């Protein structure tokens, strides 16, 4: 083979190798493009032990995590302001779900919770004092209580042991002022008190009819208007059990 023939053969081999290399590079580039495209697809499920949403300063505003309680893990969501104060707290426990709204300063404003007996809603004054409570009695009847923020009841709406409705108002110092309920035989009754436990007025009914009774605040009757088998009765007393006038 002449020298020129050898040179021509080498040039042909070089051109063939170039084509092969370009082909290999093309396959690699196509694979890389396809791989990047497949990585950009939206996944069906994203899993982690904790998620956080932060602002531009890196402060956590929303947190999704878990809370251990009752020997199990329970879901928890917390929202915060940029100062780190909690605003909304959603969690679960063995008794059920719970929602808290706070003022960002560590004080609760509204609490919605569950227990083995049922649900409960409580509003507070932002200082730890309760204002309104919606819950249930031991007998499973709904109940509403309003308080003065210092632990003292103002109004209670509930039911007695027989399931009849009751309303009681207080003077903000622990004393009763008004009670609406029922007598032992199931008749309605309204009672007014002096705030220190003394009865002043009772309006009710019995088997014979309605009655009105005024008292002196120490247990003594002063006026009694009632119904008897013979008809109406009006009686004044001295507050010590002695009758003064009887009509």
């Amino acid at each position: 083979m002449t020298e020129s023939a050898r040179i021509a053969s080498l040039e042909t081999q070089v051109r063939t190798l170039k084509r092969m290399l370009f082909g290999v590079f093309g396959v690699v580039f196509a694979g890389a493009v396809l791989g990047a495209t497949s990585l950009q697809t939206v996944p069906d499920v994203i899993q982690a032990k904790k998620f956080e949403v932060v602002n531009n300063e890196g402060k956590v505003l929303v947190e999704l995590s878990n809370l251990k309680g009752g020997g199990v893990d329970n879901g928890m969501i917390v929202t915060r302001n940029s100062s780190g104060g909690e605003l909304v707290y959603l969690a679960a426990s063995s008794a059920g779900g719970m929602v808290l709204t706070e003022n960002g300063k560590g004080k609760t404003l509204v609490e919605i919770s569950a227990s083995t007996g049922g649900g409960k809603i409580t509003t507070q004054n932002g200082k730890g004092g309760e204002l309104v409570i919606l819950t249930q009695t031991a007998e499973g009847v709904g109940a509403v209580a309003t308080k003065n923020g210092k632990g003292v009841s103002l109004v209670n709406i509930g039911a007695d042991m027989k399931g009849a409705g009751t309303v009681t108002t207080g003077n903000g110092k622990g004393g009763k002022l008004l009670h609406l309920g029922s007598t032992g035989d199931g008749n309605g009754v309204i009672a007014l008190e002096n705030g220190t436990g003394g009865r002043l007025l009772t309006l009710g009914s019995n088997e014979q009819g309605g009655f009105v009774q005024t008292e002196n605040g120490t247990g003594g009757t002063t006026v009694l208007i009632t119904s008897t088998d013979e008809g109406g009765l009006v009686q004044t007393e001295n507050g010590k059990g002695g009758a003064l006038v009887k009509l």
Side-chain angles (χ1 to χ4, degrees):
M1 181 180 292
T2 62
E3 189 70 23
S4 60
R6 290 192 184 94
I7 293 173
S9 176
L10 288 173
E11 289 177 348
T12 301
Q13 291 177 10
V14 169
R15 285 194 294 270
T16 302
L17 287 174
K18 286 181 178 180
R19 294 190 186 99
M20 292 175 64
L21 288 174
F22 284 141
V24 170
F25 288 146
V27 170
V28 172
F29 178 75
V33 171
L34 290 175
T37 303
S38 63
L39 290 175
Q40 292 177 358
T41 59
V42 179
D44 293 331
V45 178
I46 299 177
Q47 291 184 331
K49 292 184 177 180
K50 186 176 183 179
F51 289 95
E52 292 183 345
V53 177
V54 299
N55 61 8
N56 293 333
E57 288 75 35
K59 301 294 183 61
V60 177
L61 301 180
V62 181
E63 174 187 343
L64 287 79
S65 60
N66 71 308
L67 177 68
K68 291 185 178 295
V72 296
D73 289 336
N74 300 291
M76 180 179 69
I77 301 175
V78 181
T79 66
R80 298 184 174 89
N81 56 27
S82 58
S83 300
E86 292 186 0
L87 300 176
V88 180
Y89 177 90
L90 293 84
S93 66
S94 58
M98 179 175 65
V99 180
L100 294 178
T101 64
E102 300 185 5
N103 58 4
K105 300 177 181 180
K107 299 298 183 179
T108 299
L109 300 177
V110 179
E111 177 182 348
I112 303 174
S113 59
S115 65
T116 55
K120 181 180 180 181
I121 300 175
T122 304
T123 65
Q124 300 185 17
N125 57 8
K127 300 177 182 179
E130 295 178 333
L131 299 177
V132 180
I133 302 173
L134 287 80
T135 183
Q136 66 285 321
T137 65
E139 292 76 24
V141 179
V144 180
T146 66
K147 297 187 176 183
N148 62 0
K150 299 178 182 180
V152 182
S153 295
L154 299 176
V155 179
N156 287 284
I157 303 174
D160 58 23
M161 297 293 293
K162 294 186 177 182
T166 62
V167 178
T168 303
T169 66
N171 60 5
K173 300 177 182 179
K176 292 182 181 180
L177 298 177
L178 171 68
H179 176 77
L180 287 78
S182 63
T183 61
D185 51 7
N187 295 305
V189 63
I190 300 174
L192 302 180
E193 298 186 7
N194 59 9
T196 58
R199 183 71 59 89
L200 300 177
L201 175 66
T202 304
L203 291 83
S205 60
N206 50 37
E207 294 180 354
Q208 287 76 30
F211 70 88
V212 178
Q213 181 179 359
T214 65
E215 300 181 31
N216 58 10
T218 58
T221 299
T222 54
V223 178
L224 176 64
I225 303 173
T226 185
S227 300
T228 65
D229 294 334
E230 292 77 22
L233 172 67
V234 178
Q235 180 173 302
T236 63
E237 300 182 11
N238 60 7
K240 300 178 181 180
L244 298 176
V245 177
K246 188 175 183 179
L247 301 173

